[in-house]
């Protein structure tokens, strides 16, 4: 019985991450927030290479710029999606820089939504 439980847990630990999406939410979206930007971030795969792409959100008018309250990233790949790292800015600031990195041999296909007020 104990070995069967360990076997089921090992299989589950192997299978679940392969179907996991790399979705992210930094901050909180409330009813008063506006969508400041919605962009698709993509980069084609190349055999044997890790793909990276930097996404920069910058508002044109710094004096009237809105404050970011949330950043939502939706992974459009069913498996082997890219990871995202918030390098600078984000919730509480006026801009943001996000670095996307794929797994080796895979591409990037994400949607970034920037919310603010």
């Amino acid at each position: 019985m104990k070995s069967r439980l360990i076997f089921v847990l090992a299989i589950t630990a192997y299978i679940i991450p392969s179907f996991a999406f790399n979705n992210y939410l930094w901050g909180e979206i409330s009813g008063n927030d506006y969508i400041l930007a919605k962009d698709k971030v993509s980069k084609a795969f190349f055999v044997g290479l890790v793909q990276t792409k930097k996404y920069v959100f910058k508002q044109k008018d710094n004096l009237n710029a809105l404050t970011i309250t949330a950043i939502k990233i939706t992974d459009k790949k069913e498996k082997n999606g890219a990871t995202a790292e918030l390098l600078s800015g984000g919730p509480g600031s006026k801009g943001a820089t996000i670095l996307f990195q794929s797994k080796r041999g895979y591409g990037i296909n994400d949607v970034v939504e920037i919310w603010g007020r």
Side-chain angles (χ1 to χ4, degrees):
M1 179 69 176
K2 189 175 183 180
S3 63
R4 193 179 306 178
L5 177 63
I6 292 172
F7 177 74
V8 169
L9 291 175
I11 293 297
T12 303
Y14 177 74
I15 292 175
I16 289 177
S18 66
F19 293 106
F21 293 91
N22 289 327
N23 296 330
Y24 297 89
L25 178 62
W26 293 297
E28 189 174 318
I29 302 170
S30 69
N32 301 357
D33 295 343
Y34 300 99
I35 189 158
L36 305 177
K38 184 174 182 176
D39 297 310
K40 183 176 180 180
V41 178
S42 61
K43 192 167 185 180
F45 76 93
F46 197 83
V47 178
L49 293 180
V50 173
Q51 299 289 26
T52 59
K53 188 159 188 174
K54 193 179 283 190
Y55 173 83
V56 178
F57 172 74
K58 188 175 180 181
Q59 298 181 59
K60 291 181 182 180
D61 186 8
N62 281 338
L63 296 176
N64 296 321
L66 298 173
T67 301
I68 295 172
T69 56
I71 299 174
K72 181 180 177 182
I73 298 175
T74 306
D75 184 12
K76 294 298 183 180
K77 291 180 144 303
E78 291 183 12
K79 56 182 178 176
N80 298 315
T83 58
E85 180 183 355
L86 186 60
L87 297 178
S88 66
S93 65
K94 308 288 184 189
T97 303
I98 304 167
L99 179 66
F100 291 88
Q101 184 172 355
S102 73
K103 290 184 178 181
R104 186 170 303 282
Y106 293 92
I108 300 169
N109 188 13
D110 291 270
V111 174
V112 178
E113 294 179 11
I114 309 283
W115 293 80
R117 63 180 115 134

